[in-house]
Amino acid sequence: MSHNTFGHLFRVTTFGESHGIAIGCVVDGCPPLIPLTNEDIQRDLDRRRPGQSRFTTQRQEPDAVKILSGVMAHPETGVQVTTGTPIALLIENTDQRSKDYSEIKDKFRPGHADFTYEAKYGLRDYRGGGRSSARETATRVAAGAIARKILPDVKVRGALVQMGPHKIDRDKWDWDEIARNPFFCPDKNSAAFFETYLDGIRKSGSSIGAVIEVVAEGVPAGWGAPIYAKLDGELAAAMMSINAVKGVEIGAGFGAAELSGEENADEMRTGNNGTRFLSNNAGGVLGGISTGQPVVVRFAVKPTSSILSPRQTVDRKGADIDIMTKGRHDPCVGIRAVPVGEAMMACVLADHFLRHRGQVGR
Amino acid sequence: MSHNTFGHLFRVTTFGESHGIAIGCVVDGCPPLIPLTNEDIQRDLDRRRPGQSRFTTQRQEPDAVKILSGVMAHPETGVQVTTGTPIALLIENTDQRSKDYSEIKDKFRPGHADFTYEAKYGLRDYRGGGRSSARETATRVAAGAIARKILPDVKVRGALVQMGPHKIDRDKWDWDEIARNPFFCPDKNSAAFFETYLDGIRKSGSSIGAVIEVVAEGVPAGWGAPIYAKLDGELAAAMMSINAVKGVEIGAGFGAAELSGEENADEMRTGNNGTRFLSNNAGGVLGGISTGQPVVVRFAVKPTSSILSPRQTVDRKGADIDIMTKGRHDPCVGIRAVPVGEAMMACVLADHFLRHRGQVGR
Amino acid sequence: MSHNTFGHLFRVTTFGESHGIAIGCVVDGCPPLIPLTNEDIQRDLDRRRPGQSRFTTQRQEPDAVKILSGVMAHPETGVQVTTGTPIALLIENTDQRSKDYSEIKDKFRPGHADFTYEAKYGLRDYRGGGRSSARETATRVAAGAIARKILPDVKVRGALVQMGPHKIDRDKWDWDEIARNPFFCPDKNSAAFFETYLDGIRKSGSSIGAVIEVVAEGVPAGWGAPIYAKLDGELAAAMMSINAVKGVEIGAGFGAAELSGEENADEMRTGNNGTRFLSNNAGGVLGGISTGQPVVVRFAVKPTSSILSPRQTVDRKGADIDIMTKGRHDPCVGIRAVPVGEAMMACVLADHFLRHRGQVGR
Amino acid sequence: MSHNTFGHLFRVTTFGESHGIAIGCVVDGCPPLIPLTNEDIQRDLDRRRPGQSRFTTQRQEPDAVKILSGVMAHPETGVQVTTGTPIALLIENTDQRSKDYSEIKDKFRPGHADFTYEAKYGLRDYRGGGRSSARETATRVAAGAIARKILPDVKVRGALVQMGPHKIDRDKWDWDEIARNPFFCPDKNSAAFFETYLDGIRKSGSSIGAVIEVVAEGVPAGWGAPIYAKLDGELAAAMMSINAVKGVEIGAGFGAAELSGEENADEMRTGNNGTRFLSNNAGGVLGGISTGQPVVVRFAVKPTSSILSPRQTVDRKGADIDIMTKGRHDPCVGIRAVPVGEAMMACVLADHFLRHRGQVGR
């Protein structure tokens, strides 16, 4: 991972600021002859799109993606397929309201990257956070849609499993619920609770954190690689690169610190389709290589830093001031991190699939 | 990060297996004219070295490091300095007892990488875990010692902050205690408790997990980079690449999921030396860039998978068998992960220091 | 260099096909606070633009560049500057005539990449050569214009020094002539000769090769790096990556094979501004590191493969056929390679400048 | 390519100085289960080894290679095979005579990298050129031997095709001659001439340049990749990275500049085994992708800069001085570049083979 590019054989380079002309990405290394349409990408983008419920920012962005290169109608079948050359994707910004931000132009918002960008670069794009805005994640979702096409037998799904202190019980988990509520919540009752809970937070101008879980099923044993290209190491980097993420865990995660060796190590038995693990504390990864079990990653998303309460801060001149962040924001930015986490999982897996095929030839 | 190399401008490539002739690494990108002796490296290696207390593996390895290249006596001062060329470090293995492992040659130990290496490569080095052994981390500690020399104004320290369910209270934390007990524990009373606790685990042939915290003080604001080279993203990958690590968090980490925006975002005030933060939930990183506060990373280490209780598993032929792992092992592998975590922190910071200097020129 | 990206700290990723919607690139790693306008880039693009004389393809492309990201008005001065975030550049294709190419859809044109793209990818974009078209080089020229802004004290200039068997005499070389003829030729008389010579070739539907020289003045001693990041090694890769280039040489180049040690090694004397070399057979590079003398690179460009004479080839089904390539083409594609070569030189130097600053801190 | 590492999936990192303890390399990315012994590597090293005739340096180095990691006896067959983990190779220096060099400690030898290393790093290892010595190429030959094992159906051979002004006639070329003379010369009569010619140069304390050609047969169509990972672009970088190389060409190379489109583009016809090219001006590469014909690369090697005639130069203090380079040297360093060029070709092809398999799946 380097600057604005991630991946090795499946490489994604993103660009664009929250209130610039457009955002986009270049996907390099997609194999040829894979059917790919705008709709394949739009479908995923629509799941992340803002303004779809009162629980996400009211910024209205159609997030209409345009494929600029890397595809053509197959000369025989006429089906639009990838050609092996870089696929550039463009999403124009349409609802940027930069005037909203003139007030914060010289102020550092606590919890945002305002102070650090200024420290690093000597200036910052103050309009909607510029490059540090979660708007950049739309391009990841677009790239992730292409990654999914490379991995037809792998199913990548995410869910919000905790909001504030409220955690979803494992035994109430139902994947089908996720599409039925605006929280990507796998538990019907928790989703109902979140409606009221988050309405309260939203109305008070506050915000709240969340935990997201992403699961990939169908990954065969053997993907990934020791030592510094570990599947879990690259997943950790990928998830931590998502805006507002402060923690990542695989399988039992931090819970493993409390376990004994007897409790933690997943036992094995021979099953109908080869080796069967009797548990999955490993989260589908041992020694950085996939076990054939579901790959399970969780990440913690901090609460949106833009809130209506006045906060102590400083301005660019070094004066002490107070700030209140108006603008349009997500009361729980973790919600829209669900499709982003799925996209990052899909991208990392696509990259490791191609690398494994290259290096081991299977 | 890629395969057996990590870092970009400060690049470390490691090699070697647990029971091979030697392990080592090549450190590429170290600036010239930095004083560097064997002792600088040996000092750090000795902190990680096995066999120093009854709480780590009884394998006796002097871990004597040899610098093969990249240094010379300065033509004027005579002081041994780096030359800007790659620094190769070699550590010979002396106490390998490969016979210990013939029994597990065809068996997959639960929780180890035996099954996944075999799935990936079609064979595995069964002697002490081969490349997947924590022995590889000695080379990281050696590289980290060089990274520390590049970062003279940065202090990197680690501590064991949880063993099993027992967590160290923040208000009992004393950095000076760490050198006084075999656990790198910053609390005298907890260290005393761990002696008894871990003796029990060790004698019963069991093992236990732990949580390690690594803190870097003195990092100026502005290191790191958006979006996919975030300081926290690369720290996450670095820590997750350490053997047995299952979770990583920065600052408030998973705790941030339970916070409101008011509680989480660190307020700022002007202080004597510029901007002062009133708290450090961010763990010293905002938008992937350092804030000037201490950089704080925690990671969870699972319990050693080698235990004396019989466990269900399969062999290479696919037959169901039971296994008991004898050999020499750490009852809490998290202990020796402390200097390894420090080394990874130092390496990531050295890399970002050089990249920042290149790209921003400060 | 990897796939569609080149450079390390100054990284350029290009995309787009000859007859697609648009071509473009993402420039990652440009330092912040560098003044940059569309005009800075357009100026260089216009030097490469087709259709400006009868000696280049008659395709009419305005090559109007659009900066999509990475710049903003400086909050104090109002001058548009770089922000340190990726700079995406877009050039829309306007004069693509894909119908011209339906005839060659199933035929492999000798000397083109038709056969090899098909062999690699199982299909190819037959419209104007798709990704393999020299049209891609417009995006390099755009990136090179940004590289030049990073290197204000370095002057990069190129010239056509040979067309077919006709070589320019060193003693007739005049840099001022280059802007006065459509060949980037530094010799007035040779330029006059080329008018007639190339008219003959153009009218007969043939084509001819050329040699280009690019010189960078003002590069200080010390840029570049051993062993696999040699300045000359990366320049060789950069120039060889330009369409139709078949050879690259530095300084005395292939001529050095005929020299004795006495003739070849450039002697040194102390001058007013430090060390002065008495000759420049090295082409400004020793051991992969710049000497402080002009960096001199030459590259050979093969003749355009699209010619009007019928040629023997095969089609996608494997049948023997003859082919004549109509379309619009450059009779000497080497001419427009001059600004492309300059751009590649500027990009490689900008990358090495940043890497040097990072790794050595000067 | 980056600093001391080259390749992407087949990655080689080299280390060591001419007069240090040892030189060596780490080969990362070699697929598992490939039979590999010390002898496989030693065979190639012996072809490059110095001191084998009076036409190479009289330094006596056994160049005995030691495999430190990455191989094991196959658990079933007992044959030593690669395991997929990094293969570290060590070659100890035994005949370094650093005293020879104390005289040049403060003097910059013309044509050597003395001045540029000092300019870059502020010091240099003056003993035998340190890292800039051709001694480093022994490690490339060792890595190349592993690359050859990955490419069993590809035959890579090199020859010296020009020494000083004397060029080998194509029609006198006989590959079998190469092993019969100390020049890797494919023409018996030229080899006889070189004996006398080079003896004269050697005795007069002078040196001479050369041109080497490396040919890879058996490369299937489709390896390589546009645009910045072109097979010829990476070969150019690889060859230019060899000490003293000043030019690289593919196929017709610089000769292509003098050709017309009719003469240059290789026509095709259908043959028994698929498409057959009627000539090979392309040198086996079109659009950066292999055509299935032999891949043909030539590179120019400058004369050894160490000569016995006094030369004008400066010392570290900036004083004008004269220098005569004694020590032990090759009168035509191009000779020993033949196995090095072969090794670089093999490494680049192995890398592209793995990348192609990963990205295109064939």
Side-chain angles (χ1 to χ4, degrees), chain A residues 76-350:
Chain A
E76 275 142 32
T77 65
V79 173
Q80 181 166 293
V81 293
T82 58
T83 60
T85 61
I87 303 168
L89 303 175
L90 196 74
I91 300 170
E92 287 179 45
N93 288 328
T94 61
D95 190 26
Q96 62 271 54
R97 298 188 198 157
S98 301
K99 281 173 218 154
D100 289 6
Y101 295 93
S102 57
E103 196 184 332
I104 59 152
K105 188 176 155 180
D106 294 315
K107 299 172 182 171
F108 299 129
R109 295 167 299 165
H112 280 287
D114 298 352
F115 174 74
T116 52
Y117 268 66
E118 190 99 16
K120 183 172 193 72
Y121 297 116
L123 89 169
R124 74 176 210 276
D125 189 340
Y126 54 86
R127 297 161 301 178
R131 181 77 179 141
S132 75
S133 165
R135 178 130 191 78
E136 186 268 351
T137 60
T139 65
R140 308 184 188 209
V141 171
I146 298 176
R148 285 185 200 261
K149 300 285 288 192
I150 298 175
L151 300 165
D153 299 327
V154 174
K155 184 185 273 187
V156 175
R157 294 185 295 192
L160 183 147
V161 298
Q162 180 181 340
M163 188 189 291
H166 186 91
K167 301 181 189 186
I168 310 293
D169 279 350
R170 281 286 134 179
D171 54 6
K172 291 185 183 151
W173 187 288
D174 177 0
W175 279 113
D176 291 338
E177 282 302 322
I178 281 166
R180 295 188 192 126
N181 63 69
F183 309 105
F184 300 102
C185 174
D187 167 32
K188 196 175 174 172
N189 293 332
S190 294
F193 168 78
F194 290 156
E195 290 237 5
T196 317
Y197 177 71
L198 197 54
D199 257 342
I201 287 168
R202 183 175 60 84
K203 286 175 184 162
S204 69
S206 185
S207 65
I208 193 71
V211 175
I212 310 304
E213 179 167 319
V214 180
V215 180
E217 291 166 288
V219 176
W223 290 8
I227 299 286
Y228 303 107
K230 280 180 174 164
L231 187 53
D232 38 358
E234 302 209 341
L235 284 169
M239 298 310 171
M240 198 65 99
S241 78
I242 300 173
N243 307 52
V245 171
K246 300 304 287 183
V248 183
E249 56 183 14
I250 309 286
F254 276 87
E258 308 200 8
L259 299 181
S260 68
E262 287 77 7
E263 293 163 327
N264 178 69
D266 305 307
E267 294 183 288
M268 290 174 263
R269 274 294 177 249
T270 298
N272 295 332
N273 304 305
T275 298
R276 183 171 49 93
F277 287 85
L278 307 185
S279 54
N280 190 14
N281 286 316
V285 187
L286 283 172
I289 303 171
S290 59
T291 62
Q293 286 193 289
V295 177
V296 181
V297 178
R298 266 181 311 282
F299 56 93
V301 186
K302 72 180 187 186
T304 317
S305 298
S306 301
I307 48 176
L308 285 178
S309 314
R311 309 293 292 158
Q312 302 181 74
T313 191
V314 300
D315 66 14
R316 293 180 72 223
K317 307 268 157 85
D320 284 352
I321 54 161
D322 279 6
I323 195 167
M324 247 177 63
T325 316
K326 292 165 194 166
R328 300 160 296 181
H329 300 286
D330 294 275
C332 176
V333 74
I335 297 171
R336 292 205 288 138
V338 173
V340 181
E342 291 175 359
M344 296 311 286
M345 171 74 93
C347 287
V348 169
L349 290 175

Side-chain angles (χ1 to χ4, degrees), chain A residues 3 116 120 136 206 224 227-228 230 241 246 248 250 262 267 269-270 282 286 311-313 318 320 356, chain B residues 3 116 120 136 206 224 227-228 230 241 246 248 250 262 267 269-270 282 286 311-313 318 320 356:
Chain A
H3 304 100
T116 52
K120 183 172 193 72
E136 186 268 351
S206 185
I227 299 286
Y228 303 107
K230 280 180 174 164
S241 78
K246 300 304 287 183
V248 183
I250 309 286
E262 287 77 7
E267 294 183 288
R269 274 294 177 249
T270 298
L286 283 172
R311 309 293 292 158
Q312 302 181 74
T313 191
D320 284 352
H356 179 70
Chain B
H3 304 101
T116 54
K120 183 171 194 72
E136 186 268 351
S206 185
I227 300 287
Y228 303 106
K230 281 181 173 163
S241 77
K246 299 305 285 183
V248 183
I250 309 285
E262 288 78 5
E267 293 183 289
R269 275 296 178 245
T270 298
L286 283 172
R311 309 292 293 157
Q312 301 182 72
T313 190
D320 286 351
H356 180 70

Side-chain angles (χ1 to χ4, degrees), chain C residues 77-236:
Chain C
T77 64
V79 173
Q80 180 165 295
V81 294
T82 58
T83 60
T85 61
I87 304 168
L89 303 176
L90 196 73
I91 300 171
E92 287 178 46
N93 289 328
T94 62
D95 189 26
Q96 62 270 55
R97 299 188 199 156
S98 300
K99 281 173 218 153
D100 289 6
Y101 295 92
S102 57
E103 196 184 332
I104 59 152
K105 189 176 154 182
D106 294 316
K107 299 171 183 172
F108 300 129
R109 294 168 300 165
H112 281 286
D114 298 351
F115 175 73
T116 53
Y117 268 66
E118 189 99 18
K120 183 172 193 72
Y121 296 116
L123 90 168
R124 74 177 211 275
D125 188 341
Y126 55 86
R127 298 160 301 176
R131 181 77 180 141
S132 75
S133 165
R135 180 134 190 77
E136 186 266 352
T137 61
T139 65
R140 307 183 187 207
V141 171
I146 298 175
R148 286 184 200 262
K149 302 284 287 190
I150 298 175
L151 299 166
D153 300 327
V154 174
K155 183 186 274 185
V156 175
R157 293 185 295 194
L160 182 146
V161 298
Q162 180 181 340
M163 188 188 292
H166 185 90
K167 300 181 187 185
I168 310 293
D169 278 353
R170 280 286 134 179
D171 54 5
K172 292 186 182 149
W173 186 288
D174 178 359
W175 277 113
D176 291 339
E177 283 301 323
I178 281 165
R180 296 190 190 122
N181 64 69
F183 309 106
F184 300 102
C185 173
D187 168 29
K188 196 176 174 171
N189 293 332
S190 294
F193 169 79
F194 289 158
E195 290 238 5
T196 317
Y197 176 70
L198 198 54
D199 256 344
I201 287 167
R202 182 176 61 82
K203 286 175 185 164
S204 69
S206 185
S207 65
I208 193 71
V211 174
I212 309 304
E213 179 167 318
V214 180
V215 179
E217 290 166 288
V219 176
W223 291 8
I227 299 288
Y228 303 107
K230 281 181 174 165
L231 188 52
D232 39 358
E234 301 208 342
L235 284 170

Side-chain angles (χ1 to χ4, degrees), chain B residues 182-205:
Chain B
F183 309 106
F184 301 103
C185 174
D187 168 30
K188 196 175 174 172
N189 293 331
S190 294
F193 169 80
F194 289 156
E195 290 237 6
T196 318
Y197 177 70
L198 198 54
D199 257 343
I201 287 168
R202 183 175 62 82
K203 287 174 183 162
S204 70

Side-chain angles (χ1 to χ4, degrees), chain B residues 1 22 61 195 210 233 240 299 308 327 353-354:
Chain B
M1 293 213 168
E61 283 291 351
E195 290 237 6
M240 198 67 98
F299 57 90
L308 285 177
F353 164 60
L354 300 180

